[in-house]
Amino acid sequence: MMRSARDGYDAVIIGGGIGPLTAAAYLAAGKGKVLLLEASSSFAGGSETVEFAQGFRAPLLSHLAYALDGRAVRELHLADHGLVFAQPNMETAALRPGGKHIVLPGKGFRRRTAFAAHASPERRDYAAFDEEAMRFARLLRPLWNGTLTEAKAQSREDMLGIIIRRLQLKAHDVERLENVSRLSAAAFADSWLDNEALRAALSFDVFPSGLSPQEAGSALVLIWRYAQESCGRQAAVCQIRGGAGALAKALETAARKAGAELRTSVTVTSIVVEKRRAVGVTLANGEMIQAKAVLSGLSARETLLDLIPAGSLGFGTAASVPVSGRIATAQIMLALNGPPPIAGLEPEELGARMVIAERPEIASEAKGAALNGELPEALAMEVTIPTVADAGLAPAGCHILSVLLPYMPVSVMGGWENCRAVLRRRALETLENFAPGLKDRLIADRVVTPGDKRDACAVGDAGSPSSRLLASYEARIRTPVAGLYLCGRTAEPVNVACGRAGRLAAGLVFMAAGAR
């Protein structure tokens, strides 16, 4: 519980989005006087559901949920505020040319067992891989769910030692952790699976980190994904009814009902620092708002270098802030006059999450091109048909195809406006290989590039994702400035809309208030 501030606020939160809204709801529920300031006209902060054609609405970028903080969903009673899951446990289809796809079951012991029961080596191999990944992820879950307390280390090796002691890992699991922390996702999958398409689809899951499946440390990202929960089921992937915008709206409702003050169209120009402590913010109109704590949904770079006054950070601290990342994700939304004609999938399988990555090397090749500021020749894709489970997103009888295109350059040679049509053409040609006749059903489309929504498309700050995965939650959320906390996507182990950083940041504010 917090004592309301007589002058100013207990906490001011900069920016909207899943993490900041979660922090606002928790702080307000704890009787804090809370103000959230968002520069745009929406609190969604990139987690939006947009109308891209007449009558067609689609989730922007975050078209699936797999890392949503289950504790926040329960404790903030988001179901009472409108949160509904259209699909709580989706299958995954590894699409292959010729229609010989591999459809993997949703998560769960019974589904895995039933899948493996068919006399097929690739099914048995996958079931064994899935079982071991789930087991190992459960052991490491405290590292990522906020129950492993602050652990300061001078090096990556020291951090590994602390994690091993805190989690009380057995010798076998110690060896696994040390190997996985250095291994690539492709190599990890290769040690279990012979089928190339299956390896490519499973290792593709690391793309939100910005790492390619061939890069060292990406296996740990894969284990992190297996440690997440969706709708109470480990490693499941789900679809939210109404898209990511519906999740943001539920959190907004929870925050308002708890007493938080939320304002849109307000730009924060600086964070006020006195004696190395954040004491408020200043706005574009010159107003200064006092606060006992400041939380930022922006990246560490934007928060510390753009909003903190020059001289408030030491040179060493400023130099250690990660540089901006060069990898992003694009999206294509397709409005169709009927279901996509995906060859080889039964109608009941169209609700699956589909992965197009015919070779494990495609993602690595795409990232290499992106780092050179070029569009990849061959595209890796995550494809969903949200209207299969949520028909209200499109007119009757029509469907939406949502395509995420990872490993895109943040800045492309020639500029994104000149490259938009090229990306659209390459994406449609790739999709036609698996859905012949797709172009004939196309009514309208929208291409979302990093040039359109750089903050939402970017994977996050550069640096070592494995360092973030091995850091304690306090190390990701605290800043060198007392009273200033990060609560957005870049405060998560992987740069996704999760909400856990918002919940944990609110907890640190409560702890600081109790200590004063």
Side-chain angles (χ1 to χ4, degrees):
M1 301 289 286
M2 297 178 67
R3 211 177 268 179
S4 292
R6 293 180 180 179
D7 298 310
Y9 292 85
D10 290 303
V12 168
I13 303 171
I14 304 170
I18 304 307
L21 286 170
T22 301
Y26 268 99
L27 290 167
K31 305 304 180 185
K33 187 178 180 183
V34 182
L35 172 64
L36 185 147
L37 303 169
E38 165 58 38
S40 72
S41 59
S42 167
F43 293 112
S47 298
E48 304 168 84
T49 302
V50 298
E51 185 173 38
F52 69 98
Q54 185 67 38
F56 291 85
R57 296 182 302 119
L60 181 64
L61 295 169
S62 301
H63 62 186
L64 295 174
Y66 53 83
L68 185 59
D69 186 24
R71 182 170 168 181
V73 171
R74 294 188 300 272
E75 293 180 345
L76 297 178
H77 308 288
L78 296 187
D80 296 336
H81 301 312
L83 180 64
V84 178
F85 293 98
Q87 289 192 92
N89 191 10
M90 298 173 69
E91 296 180 330
T92 293
L95 299 189
R96 303 162 76 187
K100 297 180 180 180
H101 314 307
I102 302 174
V103 181
L104 303 175
K107 296 303 178 182
F109 175 77
R110 290 184 179 180
R111 291 195 178 195
R112 182 174 62 238
T113 303
F115 181 79
H118 294 271
S120 165
E122 64 188 22
R123 285 173 175 252
R124 291 193 297 269
D125 290 346
Y126 167 74
F129 166 86
D130 189 68
E131 182 178 6
E132 175 59 16
M134 295 273 276
R135 185 196 71 81
F136 193 52
R138 282 194 294 271
L139 289 177
L140 298 184
R141 187 181 292 167
L143 175 61
W144 299 312
N145 67 8
T147 56
L148 192 67
T149 55
E150 174 69 280
K152 295 182 180 179
Q154 298 300 315
S155 68
R156 182 176 180 278
E157 285 68 27
D158 290 343
M159 191 64 222
L160 275 172
I162 292 171
I163 292 169
I164 288 166
R165 291 193 298 273
R166 294 278 180 88
L167 297 181
Q168 298 181 336
L169 299 180
K170 297 179 180 178
H172 171 72
D173 293 317
V174 169
E175 184 179 356
R176 292 294 305 277
L177 175 58
E178 291 174 341
N179 288 337
V180 166
S181 68
R182 294 176 173 85
L183 203 62
S184 72
F188 182 67
D190 186 56
S191 64
W192 289 87
L193 307 165
D194 290 328
N195 186 284
E196 189 175 59
L198 187 54
R199 294 200 309 268
L202 291 172
S203 59
F204 176 83
D205 280 354
V206 306
F207 82 83
S209 70
L211 291 176
S212 74
Q214 272 70 39
E215 289 182 85
S218 58
L220 193 59
V221 182
L222 199 59
I223 297 300
W224 171 85
R225 281 210 58 171
Y226 267 84
Q228 305 309 299
E229 288 188 355
S230 178
C231 302
R233 190 177 295 275
Q234 183 182 345
V237 177
C238 70
Q239 178 187 333
I240 296 170
R241 181 165 296 166
L247 169 61
K249 188 63 179 178
L251 284 166
E252 178 188 342
T253 301
R256 288 189 186 279
K257 287 191 174 182
E261 182 182 348
L262 311 179
R263 299 185 201 170
T264 57
S265 305
V266 179
T267 301
V268 174
T269 55
S270 66
I271 296 171
V272 181
V273 178
E274 295 180 358
K275 298 180 180 179
R276 298 187 64 83
R277 171 174 288 277
V279 295
V281 299
T282 56
L283 308 184
N285 62 6
E287 180 184 0
M288 188 274 193
I289 299 175
Q290 293 181 315
K292 294 179 179 179
V294 177
L295 291 79
S296 174
L298 308 178
S299 69
R301 186 172 186 83
E302 292 171 304
T303 302
L304 297 176
L305 298 189
D306 296 344
L307 296 181
I308 296 293
S312 295
L313 291 177
F315 175 77
T317 300
S320 66
V321 176
V323 299
S324 298
R326 293 185 290 162
I327 303 299
T329 298
Q331 182 182 20
I332 296 182
M333 309 172 192
L334 305 179
L336 308 176
N337 62 11
I342 299 176
L345 282 187
E346 299 297 327
E348 62 272 14
E349 294 174 327
L350 292 178
R353 163 185 174 260
M354 291 165 271
V355 175
I356 296 177
E358 298 175 42
R359 296 177 290 107
E361 298 79 18
I362 283 181
S364 180
E365 293 166 2
K367 181 175 178 179
L371 289 174
N372 289 324
E374 301 171 354
L375 287 181
E377 291 291 337
L379 301 175
M381 299 180 173
E382 180 179 79
V383 182
T384 65
I385 311 170
T387 41
V388 170
D390 192 359
L393 294 173
C398 296
H399 282 276
I400 292 169
L401 198 70
S402 176
V403 184
L404 290 191
L405 302 162
Y407 307 113
M408 293 289 124
V410 170
S411 299
V412 67
M413 290 183 186
W416 269 112
E417 282 309 308
N418 294 325
C419 293
R420 186 187 305 273
V422 177
L423 179 61
R424 177 185 182 276
R425 175 178 55 79
R426 290 182 186 176
L428 289 177
E429 288 174 352
T430 301
L431 290 168
E432 280 276 339
N433 292 333
F434 301 90
L438 177 67
K439 294 179 182 178
D440 297 332
R441 300 193 180 183
L442 185 60
I443 299 173
D445 64 81
R446 177 180 172 186
V447 180
V448 181
T449 74
D452 299 322
K453 295 185 73 68
R454 181 163 181 160
D455 292 342
C457 292
V459 168
D461 291 340
S464 171
S466 63
S467 296
R468 281 170 63 180
L469 284 160
L470 292 175
S472 68
Y473 75 90
E474 294 183 62
R476 292 190 300 269
I477 292 170
R478 291 187 187 275
T479 71
V481 179
L484 175 61
Y485 307 88
L486 302 177
C487 63
R489 293 186 303 167
T490 57
E492 304 286 355
V494 175
N495 189 28
V496 296
C498 174
R500 188 173 291 115
R503 171 173 64 81
L504 296 173
L508 292 176
V509 173
F510 287 135
M511 289 173 57
R516 285 198 292 267

